[in-house]
Amino acid sequence: MGRERLYLFDTTLRDGAQTNGVDFTLNDKLAIARMLDELGIDYIEAGYPGANPTDTQLFAEERGLRATFTAFGMTRRPGRSTSNDPGLAALLEAKADAICFVAKSWDYHVRVALETSAEENLASIRDSVRAAVREKREVLLDCEHFFDGYKADARFALACAKTAYDEGARWVVLCDTNGGALPHEVERIVGEVVKVIPGSHVGIHAHNDTEQAVANSLAAVRAGARQIQGTLNGLGERCGNANLVSIIPTLKLKGEFAERFEIGVSDAQLKTLAHASRTLDEMLNRAPNRHAPYVGESAFATKAGIHASAIMKEPATYEHVPPETIGNRRKLLVSDQAGKSNVLAELERIGLKVDREDPRIGRLLEVVKEREAIGYAYEAADASFELLARRVLGKVPSYFDVEKFDVTVEQRDNALGQRVTVSLAVVKVKVDGEHLISAAEGNGPVNALDLALRKDLGKYQSYISGLELTDYRVRILNGGTEAVTRVLIESQDETGERWTTVGVSPNIIDASFQALMDSIVYKLVRSGA
Ligand SMILES: [Zn+2]
């Protein structure tokens, strides 16, 4: 009752995309945007239209999200008019609900980087905000280097922010671009800003260079800011951005914030947080941080002994919040009741009805644990989990058998005398007593195997004709000669449904084969073949 609304702004797809080694495809961006939307994030900053083909394409269509879909870009360049700036034009043309402009607010940067005057910088902010407001967009202004700028010349930094606010910007966002500010400084400076601009229009954008981006964000809220910007898992260049995965549960579960504020993430959505965090890691082909606060696998792990028995009696004895509130689980070595509820929750999520006391649940849990121990990852491979569950519950028909497959890789000179590497796969399947043999050439062994496998499945062929492999990811799980390979395959069908399957083996072809098989069988199950 009467709690103030705080707004969450996610920039995983824009600032997070600056992370070393992160390269989102259009499909990745759409999948992550949907995930953020389902999580209850208010604003999704998806990219920089006009800056690269992926982002331009991303903003070419309405994306139909509940969240405010936000495009990022620069204010008009110095010395140009708004009507004569291609960057600004691309922003205004983008199919976005909101536009977030970035502008300098540190006089030193205006002089040295922009090589222009303070007046021209303010004029650029004013003109750009005005142009976007005229186009009926919600407008945000990211004040770059605000905290350093404020320390150097408070009047100028404030003038930048105030200019945007006066022109009708919904939010003025104070950025700690270099990430060097400390919580007490942020609290003091934000406290000064909200004397000039109402806190309900002030946002915080913190970077993690002193590992205090989360603390800085919370300090800004305490001082009056009402929008928090951050990324999933703290993704972002250098040391990352403020981690929304830590901020969200803090706001929801810690009294000081929970009593004063409400956010767009419901209790039910909060329960999907751990899953969202791990899904992003799997998409990026990164090992999730086991020790990540709230969502890490070890965040609520306790070794057997006094702690464990105390936790069994009264979890609050050793836990700062209940792990299930964020979709994580307690890990005790003595008993794994929590694991069972996890599996039950998963089954419910995919729509399989099973009685709580059904002994097959225990068996499924055993199988999942055994397989995860050797490298399978079911957090991302939803389709493989569903198949595994259906198999243990006896609900997958045996459509076909692969009796044998053979893949060869050959390097030779072709007729033109060029050196080429050719892969050929031959697959022998048995469908309803009928033996079928297919062969296919591919640009690599997995591609050849995939093509051969899907070439002729007899009476099931019509069900898989729209099946398409859309992504293929490989991770080596432990180095050296004992290395095990995990393959994640993403598939899509004619209806646009996507699913991911997993295979694990010391042999990459075998791991790929498992994932391909799961994908085909999953499609047959879903199609009711
Ligand atoms: Zn940033």
Side-chain angles (χ1 to χ4, degrees):
M1 284 302 136
R3 283 179 303 167
E4 230 183 306
R5 183 75 155 81
L6 278 183
Y7 294 85
L8 298 174
F9 182 107
D10 180 281
T11 182
T12 304
L13 300 177
R14 201 276 300 170
D15 228 357
Q18 310 288 325
T19 315
N20 247 344
V22 167
D23 193 13
F24 294 125
T25 63
L26 180 65
N27 280 332
D28 288 341
K29 284 202 163 195
L30 288 170
I32 294 168
R34 280 193 293 270
M35 189 165 85
L36 291 164
D37 201 38
E38 281 166 19
L39 191 58
I41 301 293
D42 300 295
Y43 292 81
I44 299 171
E45 186 169 63
Y48 193 165
N52 61 66
T54 302
D55 286 0
T56 303
Q57 224 185 326
L58 182 64
F59 284 100
E61 287 173 41
E62 302 272 356
R63 294 301 175 183
L65 299 171
R66 182 204 42 79
T68 304
F69 197 58
T70 307
F72 173 89
M74 308 227 256
T75 49
R76 73 157 173 80
R77 273 183 258 170
R80 292 227 182 180
S81 70
T82 47
S83 53
N84 186 27
D85 187 313
L88 188 68
L91 263 181
L92 294 177
E93 274 163 30
K95 297 270 193 305
D97 309 311
I99 294 176
C100 182
F101 288 110
V102 58
K104 306 277 182 205
S105 56
W106 186 359
D107 59 340
Y108 166 66
H109 264 264
V110 171
R111 271 195 328 272
V112 175
L114 278 188
E115 294 181 21
T116 188
S117 67
E119 293 69 32
E120 175 60 9
N121 191 63
L122 293 175
S124 160
I125 293 173
R126 188 185 59 231
D127 296 347
S128 307
V129 172
R130 187 177 292 172
V133 168
R134 205 187 302 127
E135 295 293 322
K136 308 254 183 308
R137 302 298 161 76
E138 180 173 340
V139 182
L140 299 92
L141 183 80
D142 270 3
C143 297
E144 207 183 35
H145 299 290
F146 185 83
F147 294 92
D148 295 312
Y150 189 92
K151 288 177 211 167
D153 182 347
R155 255 184 34 165
F156 178 69
L158 274 175
C160 294
K162 185 75 165 52
T163 299
Y165 175 68
D166 288 344
E167 276 305 323
R170 168 68 184 87
W171 294 101
V172 175
V173 183
L174 314 179
C175 302
D176 182 25
T177 310
N178 289 352
L182 300 175
H184 64 277
E185 297 171 326
V186 170
E187 194 156 350
R188 180 181 64 81
I189 293 173
V190 174
E192 293 300 319
V193 174
V194 299
K195 290 177 187 164
V196 182
I197 300 169
S200 56
H201 292 269
V202 173
I204 178 75
H205 176 110
H207 278 263
N208 204 30
D209 298 70
T210 70
E211 208 168 23
Q212 297 186 86
V214 169
N216 283 342
S217 305
L218 297 173
V221 170
R222 285 162 52 98
R226 293 297 174 256
Q227 184 194 92
I228 302 180
Q229 300 202 342
T231 59
L232 285 183
N233 296 344
L235 222 60
E237 80 184 319
R238 305 190 311 275
C239 316
N241 285 56
N243 185 358
L244 287 180
V245 173
S246 296
I247 290 174
I248 291 169
T250 301
L251 295 174
K252 292 276 298 174
L253 302 173
K254 297 294 172 182
E256 180 189 346
F257 296 103
E259 283 153 24
R260 287 181 59 197
F261 302 109
E262 67 181 338
I263 57 174
V265 180
S266 69
D267 293 349
Q269 286 164 319
L270 185 63
K271 285 199 169 89
T272 67
L273 188 67
H275 181 76
S277 163
R278 289 171 203 171
T279 302
L280 180 73
D281 281 328
E282 290 298 347
M283 288 183 69
L284 295 174
N285 220 348
R286 293 180 155 197
N289 174 7
R290 304 175 68 88
H291 303 285
Y294 293 107
V295 296
E297 220 187 305
S298 300
F300 299 95
T302 313
K303 277 194 180 172
I306 308 171
H307 292 193
S309 60
I311 285 182
M312 301 264 282
K313 276 186 244 160
E314 203 59 69
T317 49
Y318 284 96
E319 288 170 357
H320 73 115
V321 295
E324 56 279 8
T325 50
I326 45 251
N328 205 347
R329 59 173 170 148
R330 178 171 306 132
K331 242 170 83 178
L332 302 175
L333 298 178
V334 281
S335 132
D336 213 341
Q337 278 304 107
K340 188 174 164 185
S341 3
N342 239 31
V343 166
L344 281 165
E346 256 329 273
L347 292 177
E348 198 183 300
R349 207 173 61 82
I350 58 180
L352 277 174
K353 290 211 173 13
V354 196
D355 186 69
R356 278 198 75 86
E357 301 308 320
D358 191 318
R360 291 175 301 177
I361 302 292
R363 211 160 69 234
L364 176 59
L365 180 59
E366 283 300 301
V367 179
V368 168
K369 275 169 127 184
E370 273 168 32
R371 292 172 74 90
E372 287 190 336
I374 57 172
Y376 286 84
Y378 290 107
E379 290 281 352
D382 45 356
S384 284
F385 175 79
E386 181 170 338
L387 277 184
L388 185 68
R390 286 181 183 274
R391 285 192 176 114
V392 172
L393 300 171
K395 288 181 178 168
V396 180
S398 162
Y399 299 104
F400 63 95
D401 288 315
V402 175
E403 299 189 295
K404 176 185 149 114
F405 73 79
D406 183 15
V407 183
T408 56
V409 179
E410 185 184 36
Q411 196 181 72
R412 57 174 157 80
D413 291 330
N414 68 7
L416 300 169
Q418 296 155 327
R419 203 71 186 150
V420 289
T421 305
V422 187
S423 299
L424 177 73
V426 180
V427 177
K428 249 175 105 175
V429 290
K430 192 164 118 187
V431 186
D432 259 2
E434 189 189 359
H435 296 275
L436 302 165
I437 297 184
S438 306
E441 259 189 30
N443 58 17
V446 175
N447 179 235
L449 183 62
D450 175 41
L451 295 174
L453 200 53
R454 290 194 284 127
K455 211 170 197 174
D456 190 4
L457 275 187
K459 61 175 183 175
Y460 297 120
Q461 193 58 30
S462 62
Y463 294 100
I464 62 162
S465 55
L467 180 68
E468 210 185 317
L469 196 155
T470 51
D471 201 3
Y472 175 80
R473 272 165 277 179
V474 175
R475 186 144 102 217
I476 308 300
L477 296 176
N478 39 13
T481 50
E482 302 281 292
V484 170
T485 305
R486 177 200 293 157
V487 166
L488 285 172
I489 285 179
E490 189 188 78
S491 311
Q492 187 179 358
D493 69 7
E494 62 285 357
T495 67
E497 198 200 340
R498 290 169 174 278
W499 60 91
T500 305
T501 52
V502 62
V504 171
S505 168
N507 181 318
I508 187 169
I509 305 290
D510 185 42
S512 308
F513 175 75
Q514 294 170 22
L516 289 171
M517 283 290 286
D518 266 11
S519 173
I520 293 172
V521 174
Y522 179 80
K523 171 64 180 156
L524 291 175
V525 170
R526 297 293 283 197
S527 311

